[in-house]
Amino acid sequence: SSPRLSADGTMLASAASGGGVTIIIQEIPSGREIIRLRGNKDMVSDGDFSPDGKTFISGCSQGCFKKSFPSD
């Protein structure tokens, strides 16, 4: 899947190399890794941030993975 930018432009989500089952959320513009989302059983086919940027949902052929971010 293509990288996704949060609505406020502060986070970027992309699939990790090596199979695409892990998603990395990075802070923009520093590039600092915020979190790695693991748990998809198959290659991620799509995903996106919620409008408020507090949740990222990804989908794959084996189901869905949802991760809520801790608030700062």
Side-chain angles (χ1 to χ4, degrees), residues 22-66:
T22 299
I23 297 169
I24 300 171
I25 308 290
Q26 295 174 286
E27 182 179 72
I28 300 296
S30 72
R32 179 182 68 86
E33 184 176 309
I34 297 171
I35 193 169
R36 284 183 182 241
L37 307 178
R38 296 176 176 93
N40 285 302
K41 305 290 184 206
D42 198 3
M43 180 85 65
V44 174
S45 58
D46 204 4
D48 213 346
F49 288 94
S50 62
D52 65 5
K54 294 185 179 189
T55 303
F56 187 85
I57 300 172
S58 62
C60 68
S61 63
Q62 298 296 314
C64 205
F65 178 78
K66 179 178 178 180

